Amino acid sequence: MFIRSKAPLRLGLAGGGTDVSPYSDLYGGAILNVTVSMYAYTTIEPTDDGKVVFEAPEKNLREEYDNAMEVDTDGYFILHKGVYNRIVRQFTHRPLSLRIASHVDAPAGSGMGTSSTLVVSILGAYVEWLKLPMGEYDIARLAYEIERVDLGLAGGKQDQYAATFGGFNFMEFKDDNVIVNPLRIRQSYADELNHNLVLYYTDTSHVSADIIKEQQKNVQAKKTSSIESMHKLKEQAIQMKEALLKGDVNHIGEILDFGWMHKKQMAKSISNPRIDAIYDAAKQAGATGGKISGAGGGGFMFFYCPGLTRYDVTEALRQFGGDVKRYDFAPEGLKTWTV
């Protein structure tokens, strides 16, 4: 028997960073994101040999342990181990024997929410296997707790909810509360946005936790420029929601540009000379705005390219190496099934 799951990665269109504590606790956050056709996949194979095996086949990585109530969270498979430990501690109250393999369509540090999406995918496979009584909010919340509390990894709240719910969502954050508002966007508006957004991988990665820690430190220190920038990004999320719902798609480039100018003020490591050069080249070629995906520092960027400008923008980006990635929006979130 095999238990499988997949959860979609996301693009953060607006409000990024306002879901991170302590800003979201003090002021409330708002984010608009959309999931895309790039996924984190998990397969669980129950076994009876008393072993717990973690695998990443495409990387030829494998770790094996005697099954226990808790596995040390070191090595490559920290996320897998965090989920295993929580499942055993909270639900089964006994060790499990299994082989678990995973794959993600984007590299770690790419700004697509890969780590959190992988946690959701792994957790979803356990929910399917053990028939755990958990809804979407329960899964997203538990994924957040495993990553941020159990494992102590810095980050926000949006990725777990995006991967679980899927589609276009306007999310609100205040203290421990998260409200996911699915957006009913006319298909023609979504298709036009899909056509005009150029997704570009910079062929670099970043350590999002370091950038987020700098952002958190700035809020704790009451650094005015950082906090005001986050206020503006929260406004940007509302602007983006109105533009998408009303079909004012060609205004989205300007909204992205507005957000990028303010996002760079949140922490100095969000941008760098290479990222600035890529952004400027895209705008000179016809993009009306864009941003880096995720915390910043590297990974994916995307640009709004009206009319036929996507072709000129794609050509302008060639000088920087990297790769333009074709994608579609993914209307559904976490999926699980048993073979």
Side-chain angles (χ1 to χ4, degrees), residues 155 179 220 233 260 279:
I179 299 174
Q220 290 164 347
L233 286 168
W260 176 238
Y279 192 90

Side-chain angles (χ1 to χ4, degrees), residues 5 72 88 167 232:
S5 68
D72 287 338
V88 169
K232 293 295 184 182

Side-chain angles (χ1 to χ4, degrees), residues 71-87:
V71 179
D72 287 338
T73 54
D74 55 4
Y76 178 81
F77 295 96
I78 180 173
L79 301 176
H80 303 66
K81 295 170 185 177
V83 178
Y84 172 88
N85 290 343
R86 175 59 85 97
I87 290 293

Side-chain angles (χ1 to χ4, degrees), residues 163-228:
T164 305
F165 283 83
F168 285 88
N169 291 293
F170 179 77
M171 301 181 184
E172 299 171 276
F173 307 89
K174 181 63 176 176
D175 298 320
D176 269 345
N177 297 317
V178 180
I179 299 174
V180 178
N181 303 282
L183 300 182
R184 296 181 61 185
I185 296 171
R186 184 174 294 181
Q187 190 60 49
S188 60
Y189 303 162
D191 289 341
E192 181 67 5
L193 179 63
N194 198 169
H195 180 276
N196 291 348
L197 276 185
V198 169
L199 180 61
Y200 172 71
Y201 184 55
T202 64
D203 203 24
T204 61
S205 63
H206 66 264
V207 180
S208 61
D210 293 342
I211 298 171
I212 289 166
K213 285 176 182 176
E214 182 185 352
Q215 175 187 323
Q216 291 173 317
K217 184 177 179 181
N218 288 340
V219 174
Q220 290 164 347
K222 297 186 168 140
K223 187 175 179 181
T224 303
S225 60
S226 295
I227 294 172
E228 286 300 320

Side-chain angles (χ1 to χ4, degrees), residues 276-334:
D276 288 340
I278 292 171
Y279 192 90
D280 290 343
K283 286 198 71 176
Q284 289 173 15
T288 53
K291 68 186 291 288
I292 202 159
S293 186
F300 279 95
M301 301 178 73
F302 57 91
F303 305 95
Y304 187 83
C305 306
L308 296 175
T309 58
R310 65 172 296 119
Y311 305 105
D312 291 334
V313 171
T314 299
E315 184 62 32
L317 295 174
R318 292 186 191 280
Q319 64 183 297
F320 300 100
D323 183 48
V324 171
K325 174 78 172 178
R326 280 288 186 178
Y327 70 96
D328 289 303
F329 294 138
E332 296 179 297
L334 173 67

Side-chain angles (χ1 to χ4, degrees), residues 111-153:
M112 303 285 283
T114 52
S115 295
S116 299
T117 304
L118 179 56
V119 172
V120 168
S121 177
I122 296 169
L123 182 55
Y126 279 104
V127 170
E128 170 78 10
W129 176 29
L130 302 172
K131 307 304 178 189
L132 302 179
M134 300 180 69
E136 292 168 324
Y137 273 101
D138 302 317
I139 291 172
R141 175 65 190 185
L142 184 56
Y144 171 81
E145 290 181 358
I146 291 168
E147 193 173 4
R148 304 290 177 241
V149 180
D150 296 359
L151 297 174
L153 302 175

